[in-house]
PDB file of all heavy atoms in Angstrom:
ATOM      1  N   THR A 304      46.239  41.365 -51.616  1.00  0.00           N
ATOM      2  CA  THR A 304      45.078  41.400 -52.428  1.00  0.00           C
ATOM      3  C   THR A 304      44.227  42.689 -52.309  1.00  0.00           C
ATOM      4  O   THR A 304      43.425  42.934 -53.194  1.00  0.00           O
ATOM      5  CB  THR A 304      44.206  40.173 -52.274  1.00  0.00           C
ATOM      6  OG1 THR A 304      43.919  40.032 -50.876  1.00  0.00           O
ATOM      7  CG2 THR A 304      44.898  38.948 -52.663  1.00  0.00           C
ATOM      8  N   GLU A 305      44.322  43.375 -51.227  1.00  0.00           N
ATOM      9  CA  GLU A 305      43.588  44.599 -51.057  1.00  0.00           C
ATOM     10  C   GLU A 305      44.376  45.860 -51.351  1.00  0.00           C
ATOM     11  O   GLU A 305      43.917  47.016 -51.213  1.00  0.00           O
ATOM     12  CB  GLU A 305      43.073  44.715 -49.598  1.00  0.00           C
ATOM     13  CG  GLU A 305      42.018  43.650 -49.279  1.00  0.00           C
ATOM     14  CD  GLU A 305      41.395  43.805 -47.891  1.00  0.00           C
ATOM     15  OE1 GLU A 305      41.771  44.744 -47.203  1.00  0.00           O
ATOM     16  OE2 GLU A 305      40.535  43.041 -47.600  1.00  0.00           O
ATOM     17  N   ALA A 306      45.591  45.704 -51.873  1.00  0.00           N
ATOM     18  CA  ALA A 306      46.392  46.812 -52.354  1.00  0.00           C
ATOM     19  C   ALA A 306      45.776  47.387 -53.550  1.00  0.00           C
ATOM     20  O   ALA A 306      45.289  46.603 -54.457  1.00  0.00           O
ATOM     21  CB  ALA A 306      47.848  46.376 -52.585  1.00  0.00           C
ATOM     22  N   ARG A 307      45.801  48.676 -53.836  1.00  0.00           N
ATOM     23  CA  ARG A 307      45.161  49.355 -54.949  1.00  0.00           C
ATOM     24  C   ARG A 307      46.168  50.059 -55.799  1.00  0.00           C
ATOM     25  O   ARG A 307      47.162  50.574 -55.224  1.00  0.00           O
ATOM     26  CB  ARG A 307      44.030  50.290 -54.453  1.00  0.00           C
ATOM     27  CG  ARG A 307      42.948  49.569 -53.753  1.00  0.00           C
ATOM     28  CD  ARG A 307      41.990  50.617 -53.161  1.00  0.00           C
ATOM     29  NE  ARG A 307      40.831  50.061 -52.516  1.00  0.00           N
ATOM     30  CZ  ARG A 307      39.599  49.886 -52.881  1.00  0.00           C
ATOM     31  NH1 ARG A 307      39.369  50.205 -54.159  1.00  0.00           N
ATOM     32  NH2 ARG A 307      38.723  49.324 -52.168  1.00  0.00           N
ATOM     33  N   ASP A 308      45.844  50.249 -57.013  1.00  0.00           N
ATOM     34  CA  ASP A 308      46.666  51.083 -57.869  1.00  0.00           C
ATOM     35  C   ASP A 308      46.099  52.544 -57.841  1.00  0.00           C
ATOM     36  O   ASP A 308      45.139  52.789 -57.099  1.00  0.00           O
ATOM     37  CB  ASP A 308      46.703  50.520 -59.306  1.00  0.00           C
ATOM     38  CG  ASP A 308      45.456  50.521 -60.044  1.00  0.00           C
ATOM     39  OD1 ASP A 308      44.380  51.022 -59.440  1.00  0.00           O
ATOM     40  OD2 ASP A 308      45.340  49.953 -61.093  1.00  0.00           O
ATOM     41  N   SER A 309      46.625  53.421 -58.633  1.00  0.00           N
ATOM     42  CA  SER A 309      46.165  54.790 -58.640  1.00  0.00           C
ATOM     43  C   SER A 309      44.732  54.939 -59.096  1.00  0.00           C
ATOM     44  O   SER A 309      44.094  55.928 -58.706  1.00  0.00           O
ATOM     45  CB  SER A 309      47.069  55.626 -59.578  1.00  0.00           C
ATOM     46  OG  SER A 309      47.073  55.072 -60.899  1.00  0.00           O
ATOM     47  N   ALA A 310      44.222  54.000 -59.873  1.00  0.00           N
ATOM     48  CA  ALA A 310      42.806  54.049 -60.228  1.00  0.00           C
ATOM     49  C   ALA A 310      41.881  53.390 -59.312  1.00  0.00           C
ATOM     50  O   ALA A 310      40.635  53.395 -59.514  1.00  0.00           O
ATOM     51  CB  ALA A 310      42.692  53.336 -61.678  1.00  0.00           C
ATOM     52  N   GLY A 311      42.344  52.801 -58.183  1.00  0.00           N
ATOM     53  CA  GLY A 311      41.535  52.232 -57.170  1.00  0.00           C
ATOM     54  C   GLY A 311      41.320  50.805 -57.426  1.00  0.00           C
ATOM     55  O   GLY A 311      40.507  50.110 -56.695  1.00  0.00           O
ATOM     56  N   ALA A 312      41.952  50.096 -58.455  1.00  0.00           N
ATOM     57  CA  ALA A 312      41.732  48.702 -58.741  1.00  0.00           C
ATOM     58  C   ALA A 312      42.620  47.847 -57.737  1.00  0.00           C
ATOM     59  O   ALA A 312      43.670  48.224 -57.400  1.00  0.00           O
ATOM     60  CB  ALA A 312      42.134  48.390 -60.124  1.00  0.00           C
ATOM     61  N   PHE A 313      42.028  46.747 -57.301  1.00  0.00           N
ATOM     62  CA  PHE A 313      42.761  45.768 -56.481  1.00  0.00           C
ATOM     63  C   PHE A 313      43.843  44.988 -57.200  1.00  0.00           C
ATOM     64  O   PHE A 313      43.686  44.758 -58.388  1.00  0.00           O
ATOM     65  CB  PHE A 313      41.794  44.806 -55.758  1.00  0.00           C
ATOM     66  CG  PHE A 313      40.828  45.392 -54.813  1.00  0.00           C
ATOM     67  CD1 PHE A 313      39.476  45.527 -55.028  1.00  0.00           C
ATOM     68  CD2 PHE A 313      41.358  45.880 -53.539  1.00  0.00           C
ATOM     69  CE1 PHE A 313      38.691  46.153 -54.099  1.00  0.00           C
ATOM     70  CE2 PHE A 313      40.551  46.503 -52.633  1.00  0.00           C
ATOM     71  CZ  PHE A 313      39.173  46.569 -52.879  1.00  0.00           C
ATOM     72  N   TYR A 314      44.852  44.635 -56.441  1.00  0.00           N
ATOM     73  CA  TYR A 314      45.928  43.889 -57.063  1.00  0.00           C
ATOM     74  C   TYR A 314      45.491  42.469 -57.349  1.00  0.00           C
ATOM     75  O   TYR A 314      44.985  41.699 -56.507  1.00  0.00           O
ATOM     76  CB  TYR A 314      47.150  43.802 -56.169  1.00  0.00           C
ATOM     77  CG  TYR A 314      48.317  43.038 -56.668  1.00  0.00           C
ATOM     78  CD1 TYR A 314      49.119  43.493 -57.688  1.00  0.00           C
ATOM     79  CD2 TYR A 314      48.647  41.817 -56.127  1.00  0.00           C
ATOM     80  CE1 TYR A 314      50.149  42.783 -58.274  1.00  0.00           C
ATOM     81  CE2 TYR A 314      49.698  41.091 -56.639  1.00  0.00           C
ATOM     82  CZ  TYR A 314      50.459  41.594 -57.687  1.00  0.00           C
ATOM     83  OH  TYR A 314      51.533  40.849 -58.209  1.00  0.00           O
ATOM     84  N   PRO A 315      45.494  42.010 -58.627  1.00  0.00           N
ATOM     85  CA  PRO A 315      45.015  40.750 -59.079  1.00  0.00           C
ATOM     86  C   PRO A 315      46.061  39.656 -58.855  1.00  0.00           C
ATOM     87  O   PRO A 315      46.665  39.150 -59.847  1.00  0.00           O
ATOM     88  CB  PRO A 315      44.684  40.888 -60.592  1.00  0.00           C
ATOM     89  CG  PRO A 315      45.627  41.931 -61.002  1.00  0.00           C
ATOM     90  CD  PRO A 315      45.894  42.879 -59.896  1.00  0.00           C
ATOM     91  N   LEU A 316      46.282  39.173 -57.678  1.00  0.00           N
ATOM     92  CA  LEU A 316      47.385  38.265 -57.377  1.00  0.00           C
ATOM     93  C   LEU A 316      47.259  36.961 -58.163  1.00  0.00           C
ATOM     94  O   LEU A 316      48.236  36.522 -58.828  1.00  0.00           O
ATOM     95  CB  LEU A 316      47.359  37.895 -55.874  1.00  0.00           C
ATOM     96  CG  LEU A 316      48.442  36.885 -55.421  1.00  0.00           C
ATOM     97  CD1 LEU A 316      49.787  37.441 -55.635  1.00  0.00           C
ATOM     98  CD2 LEU A 316      48.161  36.546 -53.935  1.00  0.00           C
TER      99      LEU A 316
END
Side-chain angles (χ1 to χ4, degrees):
T304 51
E305 293 184 0
R307 297 173 182 261
D308 64 7
S309 58
F313 290 110
Y314 179 71
L316 177 63

